Coordinates of all heavy atoms in Angstrom, one line a residue:
G1 N 98.9 80.2 111.3 CA 100.0 79.5 111.8 C 100.9 78.9 110.8 O 101.9 78.3 111.1
D2 N 100.7 79.2 109.5 CA 101.5 78.7 108.4 C 102.4 79.8 107.9 O 101.9 80.9 107.6 CB 100.6 78.1 107.3 CG 101.5 77.6 106.1 OD1 102.1 76.6 106.3 OD2 101.4 78.3 105.0
F3 N 103.7 79.5 107.7 CA 104.7 80.5 107.4 C 104.3 81.2 106.0 O 104.3 82.4 105.9 CB 106.1 79.9 107.3 CG 107.2 80.9 107.3 CD1 107.7 81.4 108.4 CD2 107.7 81.4 106.1 CE1 108.8 82.4 108.4 CE2 108.7 82.3 106.0 CZ 109.3 82.8 107.2
E4 N 104.1 80.3 105.0 CA 103.9 80.9 103.7 C 102.6 81.7 103.6 O 102.5 82.7 102.9 CB 103.8 79.7 102.6 CG 105.2 79.2 102.2 CD 105.8 78.3 103.2 OE1 105.1 77.9 104.2 OE2 107.0 78.0 103.1
T5 N 101.6 81.2 104.3 CA 100.3 81.9 104.4 C 100.4 83.3 105.0 O 99.9 84.3 104.6 CB 99.2 81.1 105.1 OG1 99.1 79.8 104.4 CG2 97.9 81.8 105.0
V6 N 101.1 83.3 106.2 CA 101.3 84.6 106.9 C 102.1 85.6 106.0 O 101.7 86.8 106.0 CB 102.1 84.3 108.2 CG1 102.5 85.6 108.9 CG2 101.2 83.5 109.2
F7 N 103.1 85.1 105.4 CA 104.0 86.0 104.6 C 103.6 86.0 103.1 O 104.5 86.0 102.2 CB 105.4 85.8 104.8 CG 105.9 86.2 106.2 CD1 106.3 85.2 107.1 CD2 105.8 87.5 106.6 CE1 106.7 85.6 108.4 CE2 106.2 87.9 107.9 CZ 106.6 87.0 108.8
S8 N 102.4 85.9 102.7 CA 102.0 86.0 101.3 C 102.2 87.4 100.9 O 102.3 88.3 101.7 CB 100.5 85.6 101.2 OG 99.7 86.6 101.8
F9 N 102.3 87.6 99.6 CA 102.6 88.9 99.0 C 101.4 89.9 99.4 O 101.7 91.0 99.8 CB 102.7 88.9 97.5 CG 103.0 90.2 96.9 CD1 104.2 90.7 96.8 CD2 101.9 91.0 96.4 CE1 104.5 92.0 96.3 CE2 102.2 92.3 95.9 CZ 103.4 92.8 95.8
E10 N 100.2 89.4 99.4 CA 99.0 90.3 99.7 C 99.1 90.8 101.1 O 98.9 92.0 101.4 CB 97.7 89.5 99.5 CG 97.4 89.2 98.0 CD 98.2 88.0 97.5 OE1 98.9 87.3 98.3 OE2 98.3 87.8 96.3
R11 N 99.5 89.9 102.0 CA 99.5 90.3 103.4 C 100.7 91.2 103.7 O 100.6 92.2 104.5 CB 99.6 89.1 104.3 CG 98.2 88.3 104.4 CD 98.2 87.1 105.3 NE 96.9 86.6 105.6 CZ 96.6 85.6 106.4 NH1 97.6 85.0 107.0 NH2 95.4 85.3 106.6
L12 N 101.9 90.9 103.1 CA 103.0 91.8 103.2 C 102.7 93.2 102.7 O 103.1 94.2 103.3 CB 104.2 91.2 102.5 CG 105.1 90.2 103.3 CD1 106.1 89.4 102.5 CD2 105.8 90.9 104.5
Y13 N 102.0 93.2 101.5 CA 101.7 94.5 100.9 C 100.7 95.3 101.8 O 100.9 96.5 102.0 CB 101.2 94.4 99.5 CG 101.1 95.7 98.8 CD1 102.3 96.2 98.2 CD2 100.0 96.4 98.6 CE1 102.3 97.4 97.5 CE2 99.9 97.6 98.0 CZ 101.1 98.1 97.4 OH 101.1 99.3 96.7
E14 N 99.7 94.6 102.4 CA 98.8 95.3 103.3 C 99.6 95.8 104.5 O 99.3 96.9 105.0 CB 97.7 94.4 103.7 CG 96.6 94.2 102.7 CD 96.0 95.5 102.3 OE1 95.6 96.3 103.2 OE2 95.8 95.7 101.1
S15 N 100.5 95.0 105.0 CA 101.3 95.5 106.1 C 102.2 96.7 105.8 O 102.4 97.6 106.6 CB 102.2 94.3 106.6 OG 101.4 93.2 107.0
Y16 N 102.7 96.7 104.6 CA 103.5 97.9 104.1 C 102.6 99.1 104.2 O 103.0 100.2 104.7 CB 104.0 97.6 102.7 CG 104.1 98.9 101.9 CD1 105.0 99.9 102.1 CD2 103.2 99.0 100.8 CE1 105.0 101.0 101.3 CE2 103.2 100.2 100.0 CZ 104.1 101.2 100.3 OH 104.2 102.3 99.5
R17 N 101.4 99.0 103.6 CA 100.5 100.2 103.6 C 100.2 100.7 105.0 O 100.1 101.9 105.2 CB 99.2 99.8 102.8 CG 99.4 99.5 101.3 CD 98.2 99.2 100.6 NE 97.2 100.3 100.7 CZ 96.0 100.2 100.3 NH1 95.5 99.1 99.7 NH2 95.2 101.3 100.3
A18 N 100.0 99.7 105.9 CA 99.7 100.1 107.3 C 100.9 100.7 108.0 O 100.8 101.6 108.8 CB 99.2 98.9 108.1
S19 N 102.1 100.2 107.6 CA 103.3 100.7 108.3 C 103.7 102.1 107.9 O 104.3 102.8 108.7 CB 104.5 99.7 108.0 OG 104.2 98.4 108.5
V20 N 103.4 102.5 106.7 CA 103.8 103.9 106.2 C 102.7 104.9 106.6 O 103.0 106.1 106.4 CB 104.1 103.9 104.7 CG1 105.2 102.9 104.4 CG2 102.8 103.6 103.9
R21 N 101.6 104.5 107.0 CA 100.5 105.4 107.3 C 100.9 106.3 108.5 O 101.3 105.9 109.6 CB 99.2 104.6 107.7 CG 97.9 105.4 107.7 CD 96.7 104.5 107.9 NE 96.6 103.5 106.8 CZ 96.4 102.3 107.0 NH1 96.3 101.8 108.3 NH2 96.3 101.4 106.0
G22 N 100.8 107.6 108.3 CA 101.2 108.6 109.3 C 102.6 108.9 109.4 O 103.0 109.8 110.2
V23 N 103.5 108.2 108.7 CA 105.0 108.5 108.7 C 105.5 108.8 107.3 O 106.7 108.6 107.1 CB 105.7 107.4 109.4 CG1 105.4 107.4 110.9 CG2 105.5 106.1 108.8
G24 N 104.6 109.1 106.4 CA 105.1 109.3 105.0 C 106.0 110.5 104.8 O 106.7 110.6 103.8
W25 N 106.1 111.4 105.8 CA 107.0 112.5 105.7 C 108.5 112.2 105.9 O 109.4 112.9 105.6 CB 106.6 113.6 106.8 CG 106.5 113.0 108.2 CD1 105.4 112.5 108.7 CD2 107.5 113.0 109.1 NE1 105.7 112.0 110.0 CE2 107.0 112.4 110.3 CE3 108.9 113.4 109.1 CZ2 107.8 112.1 111.4 CZ3 109.6 113.2 110.3 CH2 109.1 112.6 111.4
K26 N 108.7 111.0 106.5 CA 110.1 110.6 106.8 C 110.8 110.2 105.5 O 110.3 109.6 104.6 CB 110.1 109.4 107.7 CG 109.6 109.7 109.2 CD 109.8 108.5 110.0 CE 109.4 108.7 111.5 NZ 109.5 107.6 112.3
A27 N 112.1 110.6 105.4 CA 112.9 110.3 104.2 C 113.0 108.8 104.0 O 113.0 108.3 102.9 CB 114.3 110.9 104.4
S28 N 113.3 108.0 105.1 CA 113.4 106.6 104.9 C 112.1 105.9 104.4 O 112.2 105.0 103.5 CB 113.8 105.9 106.2 OG 112.8 106.2 107.2
T29 N 111.0 106.4 104.8 CA 109.7 105.9 104.4 C 109.5 106.3 102.9 O 109.0 105.4 102.1 CB 108.6 106.5 105.2 OG1 108.8 106.2 106.6 CG2 107.2 105.9 104.8
Q30 N 109.9 107.5 102.5 CA 109.7 107.9 101.1 C 110.6 107.1 100.2 O 110.1 106.7 99.1 CB 110.0 109.4 101.0 CG 109.0 110.3 101.7 CD 109.4 111.8 101.7 OE1 110.4 112.1 101.0 NE2 108.7 112.6 102.4
R31 N 111.8 106.8 100.6 CA 112.7 105.9 99.8 C 112.1 104.5 99.6 O 112.1 103.9 98.5 CB 114.1 105.8 100.4 CG 114.9 107.1 100.3 CD 116.4 106.9 100.6 NE 116.5 106.5 102.0 CZ 116.7 107.3 103.0 NH1 116.8 108.6 102.8 NH2 116.9 106.9 104.3

């Protein structure tokens, strides 16, 4: 429930890795 804890670098980076999974072929994802 804390803004800084939710959007820590570690959690954002894990979210990035999960978001690109399965869509790495897209040009926007590759950029």
Side-chain angles (χ1 to χ4, degrees):
D2 177 70
F3 193 89
E4 281 77 10
T5 304
V6 169
F7 289 115
S8 67
F9 180 84
E10 292 77 14
R11 287 182 169 182
L12 275 169
Y13 193 78
E14 283 301 314
S15 299
Y16 146 70
R17 293 180 63 187
S19 297
V20 300
R21 196 173 298 132
V23 291
W25 53 271
K26 292 184 177 180
S28 59
T29 303
Q30 291 174 9
R31 286 194 297 270

